[in-house]
Amino acid sequence: CSSSTTPCIASASAMPTARSASCSSPSPPPPRAPPLPRPWEPTILRLRGGSANSMNAFDGYEALDNELRENFDTVMKRRFVFMQSFQIHGGVSGLFDYGPIGCSIKNNIVDAWKKFFIVGDAMLEVACPAITPYRVLEASGHVKKFTDLMVKDEISGECFRADKLIEEFCDSNLAKEATNQNQTRREMMVDLRKRAGDMTIEEIEVAMSEFNITSPNTGGKLLKP
């Protein structure tokens, strides 16, 4: 009997230890990483000093100063993120070559833009050639006249397209003088509006002087185109 109780006592003393070990709380799981944004949900970048509550809400935007901008451009060019096109021949303003990193960034932006509109808004994508035939440019008026004449406000220095300014002036005055009996002046304004897009510098000067066309913002005199 004594020999049989000894194993029982030993086993009984071991059982609470086993139960206490099995009932102990498990170690907490490792923290989960935040979910990655879906490709059709572009991340809203937060500008320095600003808050981004929506796609168009960027208040407190802080522009880069000249020194920081120069340093940024230097790093981008040194690492060949982008480079001005034809730089060894003097370069061309507005044209850039992209290096390996720049190509990846550009492709990611284009891919996110496409997925946002094509997948998110259910639009259809089309691809058109970048080269335009001569007859298309001729029909659009770019062959005959490509330069838009500008006039400057003498007071504020603000510039306006001369043809659009004349058109807006004629529209405004024709609406105001709808009941005016001066039929000759109305016909002159109608004719002036039709010719506004094809007028020469001399014709614009004569029209501005004859109809006393001034700056729409300050009412000041406009300089010659």
Side-chain angles (χ1 to χ4, degrees):
C1 181
S2 61
S3 59
S4 60
T5 55
T6 304
C8 294
I9 295 173
S11 61
S13 61
M15 289 180 62
T17 306
R19 284 198 300 270
S20 62
S22 62
C23 296
S24 61
S25 59
S27 59
R32 297 179 59 184
L36 296 176
R38 289 178 289 181
W40 56 86
E41 294 180 353
T43 304
I44 302 175
L45 300 180
R46 185 166 302 208
L47 303 179
R48 274 198 311 153
S51 60
N53 298 322
S54 66
M55 288 296 292
N56 297 321
F58 290 105
D59 20 331
Y61 174 73
E62 182 180 353
L64 298 179
D65 53 35
N66 293 333
E67 183 179 359
L68 184 57
R69 176 63 182 270
E70 291 177 0
N71 294 337
F72 174 79
D73 289 344
T74 300
V75 172
M76 295 296 103
K77 294 175 181 178
R78 188 173 65 245
R79 298 183 179 180
F80 195 24
V81 178
F82 63 82
M83 185 74 67
Q84 189 176 22
S85 299
F86 316 107
Q87 189 174 18
I88 61 175
H89 301 287
V92 179
S93 178
L95 300 181
F96 296 93
D97 296 334
Y98 295 95
I101 300 177
C103 287
S104 299
I105 296 174
K106 176 177 176 291
N107 292 336
N108 289 339
I109 294 174
V110 172
D111 185 60
W113 185 88
K114 286 183 178 181
K115 288 179 179 178
F116 179 80
F117 286 101
I118 296 173
V119 178
D121 292 348
M123 292 186 176
L124 301 177
E125 181 181 5
V126 297
C128 302
I131 300 176
T132 304
Y134 179 85
R135 60 180 178 270
V136 176
L137 298 176
E138 188 177 20
S140 64
H142 287 83
V143 175
K144 182 179 178 181
K145 180 184 177 183
F146 185 74
T147 303
D148 295 321
L149 298 175
M150 309 291 290
V151 290
K152 181 181 291 187
D153 187 342
E154 192 175 37
I155 298 176
S156 65
E158 186 176 2
C159 294
F160 305 92
R161 273 184 57 175
D163 57 343
K164 297 300 181 183
L165 188 63
I166 293 175
E167 291 176 358
E168 293 174 1
F169 173 82
C170 292
D171 291 340
S172 176
N173 282 268
L174 287 172
K176 292 178 182 178
E177 300 178 5
T179 58
N180 195 337
Q181 300 300 323
N182 191 344
Q183 188 66 22
T184 303
R185 180 177 172 83
R186 287 183 55 81
E187 292 177 355
M188 291 175 61
M189 280 196 176
V190 172
D191 178 68
L192 177 63
R193 196 200 184 289
K194 292 180 180 179
R195 298 185 298 108
D198 299 322
M199 297 174 67
T200 63
I201 295 179
E202 292 75 15
E203 291 174 338
I204 290 177
E205 290 182 20
V206 172
M208 291 173 57
S209 175
E210 182 178 355
F211 290 92
N212 192 27
I213 301 177
T214 58
S215 170
N217 296 335
T218 65
K221 181 181 178 181
L222 297 170
L223 301 178
K224 294 180 180 181

